[in-house]
């Protein structure tokens, strides 16, 4: 019955739109802006919610600070081996992740993405970085409450970048271009410091906002942007309770849950319990965003599920609600097509001030 209703709603949406195209993106982000009126209020399975405004710290970040953070994000000078960078595990070629089941840290050479192997294999999948600006907790176990704290953590980890932040800062300080960039980025406190290093990296990561998807245009009243199948998939997404944790419009939440994810041999990970020390938190991990999931496989905290459709099937099995393969297909379609927007992904600089080469990935896998 719901499927028939969804189909009817989708058809009505397409008819109401009369083939009108979605409005172009406004300078402020999102669809529509002041360039034209939307078609009509869209049928939705949940209350329409505006995309959150950027926090003040993101709005006030100077462009010079963001530019500095961008360079640091790609510069291997922040690693012990001088070939690993933040972008090794969070690349624009792989949805701001790395297309590996679990991340591989320093000592694995310059290759990033599929095929990367080395002595420092981590326990967890590299999470995508979209919409970090709106999060209250970071990492799969929620151990950090700010992007500034999160930015320094990989440097301290022996199996990730493994470099003393003070040593990294000392090396940055003697590079004239970096010294000038820090001065420009922090005019009120023009020094190369660990705090400013973290602030620059955080400022850059807050720019990776995803709010220009077909779903966002549809919610804005441009009904032609979602096909009948995408509308049906959206309603099924709600019927199966997916939005209880993956809550619109971010399609994530500050919740931690044990989803009975398949275990990976050799990996012991108690999740949230490693932060809280509470037995009831064993096996619980943060709810990730579903935006741009189409390009950040494999899935879950341990990368144990390769394909998005299999991840959807696994989650539906946890819901204990009857479903069929058509339900899986339509929900996967809504997630992969309707929530896709990587227009503000990271931009790879051609060179970095250290003169070191940035990680190699993406282009050597042209068939992806």
């Amino acid at each position: 019955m719901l499927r028939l209703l969804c189909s009817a709603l989708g058809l009505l949406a397409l008819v109401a739109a009369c083939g009108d195209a979605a409005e172009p993106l406004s300078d402020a982000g999102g669809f529509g802006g002041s360039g034209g009126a939307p078609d009509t209020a869209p049928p939705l399975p949940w209350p329409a919610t505006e995309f959150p405004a950027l926090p003040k710290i993101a709005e006030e970040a100077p462009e010079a600070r963001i530019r500095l953070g961008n360079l640091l994000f790609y510069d291997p000078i922040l690693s012990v081996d001088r070939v690993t960078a933040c972008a090794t595990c969070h690349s624009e070629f792989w949805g701001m992740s790395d297309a590996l089941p679990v991340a591989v840290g320093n000592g694995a050479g310059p290759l990033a993405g599929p095929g990367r192997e080395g002595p420092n294999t981590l326990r967890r999948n590299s999470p995508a970085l979209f919409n970090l600006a709106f999060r209250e907790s970071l990492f799969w176990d929620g151990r950090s409450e700010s992007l500034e704290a999160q930015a320094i953590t990989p440097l301290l980890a022996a199996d990730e970048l493994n470099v003393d932040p003070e040593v990294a800062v000392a090396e940055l300080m003697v590079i004239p271009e970096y010294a000038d960039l820090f001065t420009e980025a922090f005019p009120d406190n023009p020094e190369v410091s660990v705090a400013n290093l973290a602030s620059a990296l955080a400022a850059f990561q807050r720019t990776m906002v995803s709010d220009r998807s077909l779903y966002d245009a549809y919610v804005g009243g441009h009904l032609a942007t979602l096909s009948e199948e995408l509308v049906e998939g959206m309603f099924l997404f709600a019927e199966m309770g997916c939005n209880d944790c993956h809550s619109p419009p971010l399609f994530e939440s500050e919740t931690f849950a044990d989803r009975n994810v398949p275990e990976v041999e050799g990996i012991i990970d108690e999740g949230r319990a490693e932060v809280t020390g509470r037995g009831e938190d064993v096996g619980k991990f943060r709810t990730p965003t579903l935006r741009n999931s189409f390009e950040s496989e494999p899935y879950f905290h341990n990368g144990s599920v390769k394909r998005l459709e299999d991840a959807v099937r696994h989650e539906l099995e946890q819901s204990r609600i009857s479903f069929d393969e058509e339900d899986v297909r339509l929900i996967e379609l809504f997630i992969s097509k309707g929530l896709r927007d990587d227009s503000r992904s990271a931009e790879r600089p051609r060179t970095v001030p250290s003169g070191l080469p940035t990680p190699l990935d993406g282009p050597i896998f042209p068939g992806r």
Side-chain angles (χ1 to χ4, degrees), residues 172-218:
L172 293 171
M173 197 179 301
V174 298
I175 299 174
E177 186 177 352
Y178 268 131
D180 292 343
L181 287 167
F182 271 86
T183 298
E184 185 181 359
F186 298 95
D188 297 330
N189 182 26
E191 63 177 358
V192 184
S193 66
V194 174
N196 284 348
L197 167 65
S199 179
L201 286 168
F204 171 62
Q205 291 182 75
R206 289 190 179 100
T207 65
M208 288 177 246
V209 176
S210 179
D211 66 347
R212 300 172 173 178
S213 68
L214 296 179
Y215 168 80
D216 297 305
Y218 177 85

Side-chain angles (χ1 to χ4, degrees), residues 75-85 106 160-163:
D75 200 329
I77 196 172
L78 295 184
S79 69
V80 67
D81 63 5
R82 295 297 190 272
V83 292
T84 308
N106 70 82
E160 295 186 54
L161 298 179
N162 191 25
V163 62

